Amino acid sequence: MVVALRAGFWIAGQQPPSVIVEPFQIAAVLLFAIAVASVVVAARGGLTGPSRAEVNRPVYEERSASPLNREAICIHLQPIERAMLGFGIPIAHQLGRDAQANCQVDRVELALVFDPTVSALYVERHDIDRSYLDPKSAFFWCATCNSRLWVVHADAATANTPWFPENALHARTSADVAAL
């Protein structure tokens, strides 16, 4: 209110009273902070948007007779999904165009098996705004369709987490784990 009154006096070319002049700087800083906070909240989905846990929670659905659900994952990630299903890795489709595969990715083998464009889709990261104790994320991401195929980050994987793509070393390890 102080900022609006001060602006009114300024537009009218009049000198504002000291009651408006003294708290003006504090009011202007608070107004700026509120504006920045509003922009940040709007960019992150608003106050009533889904929480990060709700967005990342897998939603399991009935699979059709076809191994691929054409509406669930984008056409650019379908070759990766098809290959994962071929290796026996189950895929849970989430809300929107995302899916979750419980496997870790061998970057070297990925570059050997697939063309470089598929290798370029793979991302491992740790979100800057998250705690360092939070798990890191790994996924195949199609920027064109904003679709993700989430996988297990190497730092969060266990001995039981299968590899994709599987090679002779991983096959032996997976067989040993299956025997347990």
Side-chain angles (χ1 to χ4, degrees):
M1 186 66 149
V2 171
V3 174
L5 289 172
R6 175 79 187 254
F9 277 104
W10 179 74
I11 291 171
Q14 298 178 2
Q15 182 66 28
S18 63
V19 175
I20 295 175
V21 173
E22 292 171 1
F24 175 74
Q25 289 179 339
I26 295 172
V29 169
L30 285 174
L31 183 63
F32 178 76
I34 291 169
V36 169
S38 298
V39 169
V40 169
V41 167
R44 290 190 176 180
L47 293 174
T48 60
S51 69
R52 188 178 193 112
E54 290 172 338
V55 170
N56 292 330
R57 182 175 43 94
V59 176
Y60 298 98
E61 57 187 40
E62 289 292 324
R63 300 297 301 250
S64 62
S66 169
L68 297 177
N69 185 344
R70 300 281 181 211
E71 292 79 34
I73 196 164
C74 82
I75 193 167
H76 306 106
L77 296 179
Q78 286 179 7
I80 301 168
E81 181 185 22
R82 196 175 299 113
M84 285 182 176
L85 290 170
F87 282 113
I89 298 168
I91 296 177
H93 291 277
Q94 299 177 327
L95 293 174
R97 300 187 64 91
D98 288 4
Q100 173 75 38
N102 186 26
C103 65
Q104 57 185 323
V105 175
D106 183 344
R107 286 179 173 261
V108 174
E109 193 68 20
L110 184 69
L112 294 173
V113 173
F114 293 96
D115 61 54
T117 57
V118 171
S119 296
L121 297 174
Y122 181 65
V123 178
E124 284 184 354
R125 69 175 192 188
H126 189 278
D127 296 326
I128 309 171
D129 61 339
R130 306 291 294 177
S131 165
Y132 284 102
L133 300 176
D134 286 345
K136 297 177 182 176
S137 58
F139 49 86
F140 290 92
W141 180 50
C142 174
T144 305
C145 302
N146 196 24
S147 181
R148 287 177 186 81
L149 178 55
W150 294 89
V151 294
V152 178
H153 192 280
D155 292 348
T158 65
N160 296 336
T161 306
W163 287 90
F164 174 79
E166 191 175 90
N167 64 20
L169 174 65
H170 302 136
R172 189 186 75 232
T173 305
S174 297
D176 294 341
V177 169
L180 294 176

mmCIF file of all heavy atoms in Angstrom, residues 118-158:
data_model
loop_
_atom_site.group_PDB
_atom_site.id
_atom_site.type_symbol
_atom_site.label_atom_id
_atom_site.label_comp_id
_atom_site.label_asym_id
_atom_site.label_seq_id
_atom_site.Cartn_x
_atom_site.Cartn_y
_atom_site.Cartn_z
ATOM 1 N N VAL A 118 20.765 -42.443 -28.895
ATOM 2 C CA VAL A 118 20.162 -43.079 -27.715
ATOM 3 C C VAL A 118 21.037 -42.839 -26.496
ATOM 4 O O VAL A 118 20.545 -42.542 -25.411
ATOM 5 C CB VAL A 118 19.932 -44.589 -27.962
ATOM 6 C CG1 VAL A 118 19.521 -45.288 -26.684
ATOM 7 C CG2 VAL A 118 18.890 -44.790 -29.040
ATOM 8 N N SER A 119 22.350 -42.947 -26.669
ATOM 9 C CA SER A 119 23.258 -42.688 -25.550
ATOM 10 C C SER A 119 23.128 -41.250 -25.068
ATOM 11 O O SER A 119 23.262 -40.969 -23.884
ATOM 12 C CB SER A 119 24.701 -42.959 -25.959
ATOM 13 O OG SER A 119 24.869 -44.316 -26.270
ATOM 14 N N ALA A 120 22.867 -40.330 -25.988
ATOM 15 C CA ALA A 120 22.725 -38.920 -25.626
ATOM 16 C C ALA A 120 21.450 -38.660 -24.829
ATOM 17 O O ALA A 120 21.359 -37.651 -24.128
ATOM 18 C CB ALA A 120 22.741 -38.054 -26.873
ATOM 19 N N LEU A 121 20.471 -39.537 -24.901
ATOM 20 C CA LEU A 121 19.223 -39.361 -24.158
ATOM 21 C C LEU A 121 19.372 -39.702 -22.678
ATOM 22 O O LEU A 121 18.530 -39.335 -21.873
ATOM 23 C CB LEU A 121 18.121 -40.243 -24.767
ATOM 24 C CG LEU A 121 17.710 -39.938 -26.198
ATOM 25 C CD1 LEU A 121 16.726 -40.991 -26.682
ATOM 26 C CD2 LEU A 121 17.122 -38.551 -26.314
ATOM 27 N N TYR A 122 20.457 -40.416 -22.325
ATOM 28 C CA TYR A 122 20.635 -40.868 -20.943
ATOM 29 C C TYR A 122 21.237 -39.752 -20.095
ATOM 30 O O TYR A 122 22.225 -39.126 -20.461
ATOM 31 C CB TYR A 122 21.520 -42.105 -20.897
ATOM 32 C CG TYR A 122 21.707 -42.626 -19.499
ATOM 33 C CD1 TYR A 122 20.633 -43.140 -18.779
ATOM 34 C CD2 TYR A 122 22.945 -42.591 -18.880
ATOM 35 C CE1 TYR A 122 20.790 -43.608 -17.493
ATOM 36 C CE2 TYR A 122 23.115 -43.074 -17.595
ATOM 37 C CZ TYR A 122 22.033 -43.569 -16.909
ATOM 38 O OH TYR A 122 22.188 -44.036 -15.629
ATOM 39 N N VAL A 123 20.626 -39.505 -18.924
ATOM 40 C CA VAL A 123 21.046 -38.425 -18.030
ATOM 41 C C VAL A 123 21.170 -38.973 -16.615
ATOM 42 O O VAL A 123 20.269 -39.658 -16.135
ATOM 43 C CB VAL A 123 20.008 -37.272 -18.035
ATOM 44 C CG1 VAL A 123 20.420 -36.175 -17.081
ATOM 45 C CG2 VAL A 123 19.796 -36.744 -19.437
ATOM 46 N N GLU A 124 22.276 -38.681 -15.959
ATOM 47 C CA GLU A 124 22.442 -38.938 -14.519
ATOM 48 C C GLU A 124 22.690 -37.590 -13.876
ATOM 49 O O GLU A 124 23.526 -36.828 -14.337
ATOM 50 C CB GLU A 124 23.644 -39.851 -14.249
ATOM 51 C CG GLU A 124 23.422 -41.290 -14.561
ATOM 52 C CD GLU A 124 24.626 -42.149 -14.175
ATOM 53 O OE1 GLU A 124 25.673 -41.611 -13.772
ATOM 54 O OE2 GLU A 124 24.508 -43.362 -14.294
ATOM 55 N N ARG A 125 21.940 -37.299 -12.797
ATOM 56 C CA ARG A 125 22.137 -36.001 -12.165
ATOM 57 C C ARG A 125 21.716 -36.042 -10.705
ATOM 58 O O ARG A 125 21.066 -36.974 -10.250
ATOM 59 C CB ARG A 125 21.379 -34.922 -12.905
ATOM 60 C CG ARG A 125 19.888 -35.047 -12.772
ATOM 61 C CD ARG A 125 19.187 -33.913 -13.414
ATOM 62 N NE ARG A 125 17.792 -33.959 -13.006
ATOM 63 C CZ ARG A 125 16.870 -33.204 -13.501
ATOM 64 N NH1 ARG A 125 17.172 -32.345 -14.420
ATOM 65 N NH2 ARG A 125 15.631 -33.296 -13.085
ATOM 66 N N HIS A 126 22.098 -34.996 -10.031
ATOM 67 C CA HIS A 126 21.637 -34.746 -8.671
ATOM 68 C C HIS A 126 21.083 -33.335 -8.662
ATOM 69 O O HIS A 126 21.783 -32.388 -8.989
ATOM 70 C CB HIS A 126 22.780 -34.874 -7.664
ATOM 71 C CG HIS A 126 22.309 -34.839 -6.259
ATOM 72 N ND1 HIS A 126 22.050 -33.674 -5.595
ATOM 73 C CD2 HIS A 126 22.006 -35.823 -5.399
ATOM 74 C CE1 HIS A 126 21.626 -33.935 -4.378
ATOM 75 N NE2 HIS A 126 21.586 -35.231 -4.230
ATOM 76 N N ASP A 127 19.803 -33.189 -8.333
ATOM 77 C CA ASP A 127 19.161 -31.885 -8.366
ATOM 78 C C ASP A 127 19.825 -30.945 -7.370
ATOM 79 O O ASP A 127 20.058 -31.312 -6.216
ATOM 80 C CB ASP A 127 17.670 -32.010 -8.046
ATOM 81 C CG ASP A 127 16.939 -32.813 -9.102
ATOM 82 O OD1 ASP A 127 17.333 -32.709 -10.276
ATOM 83 O OD2 ASP A 127 15.990 -33.532 -8.764
ATOM 84 N N ILE A 128 20.099 -29.734 -7.798
ATOM 85 C CA ILE A 128 20.812 -28.769 -6.967
ATOM 86 C C ILE A 128 19.978 -28.359 -5.763
ATOM 87 O O ILE A 128 20.509 -28.147 -4.689
ATOM 88 C CB ILE A 128 21.168 -27.510 -7.780
ATOM 89 C CG1 ILE A 128 21.872 -27.884 -9.077
ATOM 90 C CG2 ILE A 128 22.070 -26.588 -6.985
ATOM 91 C CD1 ILE A 128 22.059 -26.724 -10.009
ATOM 92 N N ASP A 129 18.671 -28.286 -5.942
ATOM 93 C CA ASP A 129 17.823 -27.802 -4.863
ATOM 94 C C ASP A 129 17.454 -28.892 -3.862
ATOM 95 O O ASP A 129 16.678 -28.662 -2.963
ATOM 96 C CB ASP A 129 16.554 -27.156 -5.424
ATOM 97 C CG ASP A 129 15.700 -28.128 -6.229
ATOM 98 O OD1 ASP A 129 16.242 -29.141 -6.683
ATOM 99 O OD2 ASP A 129 14.506 -27.867 -6.393
ATOM 100 N N ARG A 130 18.020 -30.071 -4.024
ATOM 101 C CA ARG A 130 17.726 -31.181 -3.116
ATOM 102 C C ARG A 130 18.901 -31.397 -2.167
ATOM 103 O O ARG A 130 20.035 -30.993 -2.435
ATOM 104 C CB ARG A 130 17.485 -32.471 -3.909
ATOM 105 C CG ARG A 130 16.426 -32.373 -4.983
ATOM 106 C CD ARG A 130 15.060 -32.227 -4.431
ATOM 107 N NE ARG A 130 14.704 -33.443 -3.738
ATOM 108 C CZ ARG A 130 13.584 -33.618 -3.095
ATOM 109 N NH1 ARG A 130 12.699 -32.672 -3.051
ATOM 110 N NH2 ARG A 130 13.318 -34.745 -2.495
ATOM 111 N N SER A 131 18.667 -32.079 -1.078
ATOM 112 C CA SER A 131 19.716 -32.412 -0.124
ATOM 113 C C SER A 131 20.674 -33.421 -0.746
ATOM 114 O O SER A 131 20.290 -34.232 -1.581
ATOM 115 C CB SER A 131 19.087 -33.025 1.136
ATOM 116 O OG SER A 131 20.061 -33.656 1.922
ATOM 117 N N TYR A 132 21.925 -33.376 -0.333
ATOM 118 C CA TYR A 132 22.895 -34.349 -0.842
ATOM 119 C C TYR A 132 22.611 -35.755 -0.324
ATOM 120 O O TYR A 132 23.160 -36.722 -0.817
ATOM 121 C CB TYR A 132 24.319 -33.923 -0.496
ATOM 122 C CG TYR A 132 24.781 -32.803 -1.387
ATOM 123 C CD1 TYR A 132 24.806 -31.491 -0.937
ATOM 124 C CD2 TYR A 132 25.152 -33.053 -2.698
ATOM 125 C CE1 TYR A 132 25.205 -30.466 -1.763
ATOM 126 C CE2 TYR A 132 25.548 -32.035 -3.536
ATOM 127 C CZ TYR A 132 25.576 -30.747 -3.064
ATOM 128 O OH TYR A 132 25.956 -29.745 -3.894
ATOM 129 N N LEU A 133 21.735 -35.867 0.673
ATOM 130 C CA LEU A 133 21.345 -37.175 1.174
ATOM 131 C C LEU A 133 20.235 -37.796 0.333
ATOM 132 O O LEU A 133 19.995 -38.988 0.405
ATOM 133 C CB LEU A 133 20.885 -37.055 2.629
ATOM 134 C CG LEU A 133 21.945 -36.520 3.597
ATOM 135 C CD1 LEU A 133 21.350 -36.347 4.982
ATOM 136 C CD2 LEU A 133 23.153 -37.436 3.642
ATOM 137 N N ASP A 134 19.551 -36.978 -0.472
ATOM 138 C CA ASP A 134 18.503 -37.492 -1.353
ATOM 139 C C ASP A 134 19.128 -38.310 -2.477
ATOM 140 O O ASP A 134 20.251 -38.031 -2.906
ATOM 141 C CB ASP A 134 17.697 -36.351 -1.957
ATOM 142 C CG ASP A 134 16.766 -35.703 -0.951
ATOM 143 O OD1 ASP A 134 16.538 -36.313 0.106
ATOM 144 O OD2 ASP A 134 16.275 -34.601 -1.225
ATOM 145 N N PRO A 135 18.419 -39.312 -2.951
ATOM 146 C CA PRO A 135 18.989 -40.126 -4.039
ATOM 147 C C PRO A 135 19.134 -39.329 -5.324
ATOM 148 O O PRO A 135 18.354 -38.423 -5.612
ATOM 149 C CB PRO A 135 17.969 -41.254 -4.208
ATOM 150 C CG PRO A 135 16.717 -40.739 -3.611
ATOM 151 C CD PRO A 135 17.105 -39.752 -2.551
ATOM 152 N N LYS A 136 20.165 -39.669 -6.075
ATOM 153 C CA LYS A 136 20.381 -39.038 -7.377
ATOM 154 C C LYS A 136 19.407 -39.648 -8.371
ATOM 155 O O LYS A 136 18.887 -40.730 -8.168
ATOM 156 C CB LYS A 136 21.821 -39.265 -7.823
ATOM 157 C CG LYS A 136 22.830 -38.620 -6.892
ATOM 158 C CD LYS A 136 24.243 -38.931 -7.316
ATOM 159 C CE LYS A 136 25.225 -38.322 -6.333
ATOM 160 N NZ LYS A 136 26.596 -38.681 -6.641
ATOM 161 N N SER A 137 19.165 -38.945 -9.463
ATOM 162 C CA SER A 137 18.220 -39.435 -10.448
ATOM 163 C C SER A 137 18.941 -39.812 -11.737
ATOM 164 O O SER A 137 19.969 -39.241 -12.073
ATOM 165 C CB SER A 137 17.139 -38.385 -10.722
ATOM 166 O OG SER A 137 17.726 -37.186 -11.165
ATOM 167 N N ALA A 138 18.374 -40.794 -12.423
ATOM 168 C CA ALA A 138 18.891 -41.239 -13.716
ATOM 169 C C ALA A 138 17.699 -41.566 -14.598
ATOM 170 O O ALA A 138 16.738 -42.176 -14.141
ATOM 171 C CB ALA A 138 19.797 -42.452 -13.543
ATOM 172 N N PHE A 139 17.760 -41.159 -15.858
ATOM 173 C CA PHE A 139 16.637 -41.396 -16.749
ATOM 174 C C PHE A 139 17.057 -41.173 -18.193
ATOM 175 O O PHE A 139 18.074 -40.551 -18.480
ATOM 176 C CB PHE A 139 15.458 -40.485 -16.401
ATOM 177 C CG PHE A 139 15.824 -39.029 -16.249
ATOM 178 C CD1 PHE A 139 15.861 -38.182 -17.343
ATOM 179 C CD2 PHE A 139 16.126 -38.512 -15.005
ATOM 180 C CE1 PHE A 139 16.197 -36.847 -17.195
ATOM 181 C CE2 PHE A 139 16.464 -37.185 -14.848
ATOM 182 C CZ PHE A 139 16.499 -36.344 -15.952
ATOM 183 N N PHE A 140 16.252 -41.731 -19.083
ATOM 184 C CA PHE A 140 16.336 -41.417 -20.496
ATOM 185 C C PHE A 140 15.315 -40.316 -20.717
ATOM 186 O O PHE A 140 14.157 -40.448 -20.325
ATOM 187 C CB PHE A 140 15.996 -42.636 -21.357
ATOM 188 C CG PHE A 140 17.038 -43.713 -21.310
ATOM 189 C CD1 PHE A 140 16.947 -44.743 -20.387
ATOM 190 C CD2 PHE A 140 18.112 -43.699 -22.183
ATOM 191 C CE1 PHE A 140 17.902 -45.739 -20.331
ATOM 192 C CE2 PHE A 140 19.071 -44.692 -22.137
ATOM 193 C CZ PHE A 140 18.975 -45.711 -21.214
ATOM 194 N N TRP A 141 15.715 -39.221 -21.354
ATOM 195 C CA TRP A 141 14.837 -38.072 -21.497
ATOM 196 C C TRP A 141 14.716 -37.651 -22.948
ATOM 197 O O TRP A 141 15.722 -37.458 -23.642
ATOM 198 C CB TRP A 141 15.353 -36.913 -20.679
ATOM 199 C CG TRP A 141 14.519 -35.675 -20.761
ATOM 200 C CD1 TRP A 141 13.182 -35.587 -20.588
ATOM 201 C CD2 TRP A 141 14.969 -34.352 -21.033
ATOM 202 N NE1 TRP A 141 12.765 -34.288 -20.719
ATOM 203 C CE2 TRP A 141 13.852 -33.496 -20.993
ATOM 204 C CE3 TRP A 141 16.210 -33.798 -21.284
ATOM 205 C CZ2 TRP A 141 13.935 -32.146 -21.209
ATOM 206 C CZ3 TRP A 141 16.294 -32.438 -21.499
ATOM 207 C CH2 TRP A 141 15.162 -31.628 -21.461
ATOM 208 N N CYS A 142 13.495 -37.520 -23.410
ATOM 209 C CA CYS A 142 13.211 -37.001 -24.739
ATOM 210 C C CYS A 142 12.750 -35.558 -24.573
ATOM 211 O O CYS A 142 11.651 -35.306 -24.064
ATOM 212 C CB CYS A 142 12.127 -37.826 -25.433
ATOM 213 S SG CYS A 142 11.630 -37.121 -27.013
ATOM 214 N N ALA A 143 13.596 -34.620 -24.968
ATOM 215 C CA ALA A 143 13.271 -33.206 -24.820
ATOM 216 C C ALA A 143 12.123 -32.800 -25.740
ATOM 217 O O ALA A 143 11.348 -31.915 -25.406
ATOM 218 C CB ALA A 143 14.499 -32.352 -25.110
ATOM 219 N N THR A 144 12.012 -33.460 -26.878
ATOM 220 C CA THR A 144 10.958 -33.126 -27.832
ATOM 221 C C THR A 144 9.578 -33.368 -27.228
ATOM 222 O O THR A 144 8.679 -32.537 -27.357
ATOM 223 C CB THR A 144 11.112 -33.957 -29.117
ATOM 224 O OG1 THR A 144 12.422 -33.764 -29.628
ATOM 225 C CG2 THR A 144 10.089 -33.574 -30.154
ATOM 226 N N CYS A 145 9.401 -34.503 -26.585
ATOM 227 C CA CYS A 145 8.090 -34.896 -26.041
ATOM 228 C C CYS A 145 7.985 -34.675 -24.533
ATOM 229 O O CYS A 145 6.938 -34.936 -23.953
ATOM 230 C CB CYS A 145 7.826 -36.366 -26.355
ATOM 231 S SG CYS A 145 7.867 -36.722 -28.109
ATOM 232 N N ASN A 146 9.076 -34.267 -23.898
ATOM 233 C CA ASN A 146 9.140 -34.136 -22.442
ATOM 234 C C ASN A 146 8.684 -35.427 -21.767
ATOM 235 O O ASN A 146 7.849 -35.434 -20.875
ATOM 236 C CB ASN A 146 8.324 -32.952 -21.948
ATOM 237 C CG ASN A 146 8.691 -32.586 -20.523
ATOM 238 O OD1 ASN A 146 9.793 -32.877 -20.064
ATOM 239 N ND2 ASN A 146 7.783 -31.967 -19.810
ATOM 240 N N SER A 147 9.254 -36.523 -22.216
ATOM 241 C CA SER A 147 8.944 -37.852 -21.695
ATOM 242 C C SER A 147 10.206 -38.427 -21.067
ATOM 243 O O SER A 147 11.311 -38.211 -21.567
ATOM 244 C CB SER A 147 8.464 -38.736 -22.853
ATOM 245 O OG SER A 147 8.145 -40.015 -22.376
ATOM 246 N N ARG A 148 10.038 -39.161 -19.965
ATOM 247 C CA ARG A 148 11.190 -39.743 -19.278
ATOM 248 C C ARG A 148 10.962 -41.227 -19.017
ATOM 249 O O ARG A 148 9.859 -41.637 -18.698
ATOM 250 C CB ARG A 148 11.430 -39.047 -17.937
ATOM 251 C CG ARG A 148 12.000 -37.673 -18.064
ATOM 252 C CD ARG A 148 12.156 -37.016 -16.700
ATOM 253 N NE ARG A 148 12.573 -35.651 -16.815
ATOM 254 C CZ ARG A 148 11.772 -34.620 -17.077
ATOM 255 N NH1 ARG A 148 10.492 -34.825 -17.223
ATOM 256 N NH2 ARG A 148 12.242 -33.399 -17.170
ATOM 257 N N LEU A 149 12.034 -41.976 -19.126
ATOM 258 C CA LEU A 149 12.057 -43.375 -18.734
ATOM 259 C C LEU A 149 13.053 -43.450 -17.581
ATOM 260 O O LEU A 149 14.266 -43.441 -17.772
ATOM 261 C CB LEU A 149 12.481 -44.271 -19.900
ATOM 262 C CG LEU A 149 12.602 -45.759 -19.621
ATOM 263 C CD1 LEU A 149 11.299 -46.314 -19.044
ATOM 264 C CD2 LEU A 149 12.968 -46.502 -20.885
ATOM 265 N N TRP A 150 12.518 -43.436 -16.359
ATOM 266 C CA TRP A 150 13.342 -43.393 -15.150
ATOM 267 C C TRP A 150 14.013 -44.741 -14.923
ATOM 268 O O TRP A 150 13.392 -45.786 -15.113
ATOM 269 C CB TRP A 150 12.480 -43.050 -13.938
ATOM 270 C CG TRP A 150 11.926 -41.669 -13.991
ATOM 271 C CD1 TRP A 150 10.746 -41.295 -14.555
ATOM 272 C CD2 TRP A 150 12.514 -40.487 -13.494
ATOM 273 N NE1 TRP A 150 10.569 -39.942 -14.427
ATOM 274 C CE2 TRP A 150 11.638 -39.417 -13.778
ATOM 275 C CE3 TRP A 150 13.707 -40.213 -12.829
ATOM 276 C CZ2 TRP A 150 11.913 -38.105 -13.425
ATOM 277 C CZ3 TRP A 150 13.976 -38.901 -12.469
ATOM 278 C CH2 TRP A 150 13.091 -37.871 -12.769
ATOM 279 N N VAL A 151 15.265 -44.723 -14.495
ATOM 280 C CA VAL A 151 16.018 -45.920 -14.133
ATOM 281 C C VAL A 151 16.692 -45.660 -12.793
ATOM 282 O O VAL A 151 16.602 -44.580 -12.234
ATOM 283 C CB VAL A 151 17.058 -46.281 -15.225
ATOM 284 C CG1 VAL A 151 16.376 -46.684 -16.523
ATOM 285 C CG2 VAL A 151 18.034 -45.160 -15.460
ATOM 286 N N VAL A 152 17.405 -46.652 -12.282
ATOM 287 C CA VAL A 152 18.084 -46.536 -10.990
ATOM 288 C C VAL A 152 19.461 -45.926 -11.212
ATOM 289 O O VAL A 152 20.225 -46.389 -12.056
ATOM 290 C CB VAL A 152 18.215 -47.923 -10.318
ATOM 291 C CG1 VAL A 152 18.948 -47.822 -9.001
ATOM 292 C CG2 VAL A 152 16.836 -48.537 -10.132
ATOM 293 N N HIS A 153 19.784 -44.881 -10.474
ATOM 294 C CA HIS A 153 21.106 -44.267 -10.556
ATOM 295 C C HIS A 153 22.144 -45.261 -10.032
ATOM 296 O O HIS A 153 21.864 -46.038 -9.120
ATOM 297 C CB HIS A 153 21.139 -42.978 -9.729
ATOM 298 C CG HIS A 153 22.345 -42.133 -9.964
ATOM 299 N ND1 HIS A 153 23.554 -42.404 -9.383
ATOM 300 C CD2 HIS A 153 22.521 -41.043 -10.733
ATOM 301 C CE1 HIS A 153 24.421 -41.494 -9.766
ATOM 302 N NE2 HIS A 153 23.821 -40.657 -10.596
ATOM 303 N N ALA A 154 23.325 -45.239 -10.595
ATOM 304 C CA ALA A 154 24.379 -46.187 -10.213
ATOM 305 C C ALA A 154 24.694 -46.119 -8.715
ATOM 306 O O ALA A 154 24.985 -47.150 -8.094
ATOM 307 C CB ALA A 154 25.638 -45.925 -11.029
ATOM 308 N N ASP A 155 24.635 -44.926 -8.118
ATOM 309 C CA ASP A 155 24.924 -44.790 -6.690
ATOM 310 C C ASP A 155 23.817 -45.389 -5.816
ATOM 311 O O ASP A 155 24.054 -45.719 -4.661
ATOM 312 C CB ASP A 155 25.102 -43.320 -6.317
ATOM 313 C CG ASP A 155 26.366 -42.730 -6.926
ATOM 314 O OD1 ASP A 155 27.214 -43.505 -7.430
ATOM 315 O OD2 ASP A 155 26.509 -41.491 -6.899
ATOM 316 N N ALA A 156 22.611 -45.511 -6.343
ATOM 317 C CA ALA A 156 21.484 -46.049 -5.575
ATOM 318 C C ALA A 156 21.227 -47.529 -5.869
ATOM 319 O O ALA A 156 20.388 -48.152 -5.231
ATOM 320 C CB ALA A 156 20.222 -45.246 -5.876
ATOM 321 N N ALA A 157 21.952 -48.092 -6.832
ATOM 322 C CA ALA A 157 21.735 -49.485 -7.220
ATOM 323 C C ALA A 157 22.305 -50.438 -6.172
ATOM 324 O O ALA A 157 23.235 -50.116 -5.448
ATOM 325 C CB ALA A 157 22.392 -49.759 -8.568
ATOM 326 N N THR A 158 21.696 -51.618 -6.107
ATOM 327 C CA THR A 158 22.178 -52.677 -5.225
ATOM 328 C C THR A 158 22.715 -53.816 -6.087
ATOM 329 O O THR A 158 22.660 -53.761 -7.319
ATOM 330 C CB THR A 158 21.035 -53.203 -4.336
ATOM 331 O OG1 THR A 158 20.060 -53.836 -5.162
ATOM 332 C CG2 THR A 158 20.396 -52.081 -3.536
#
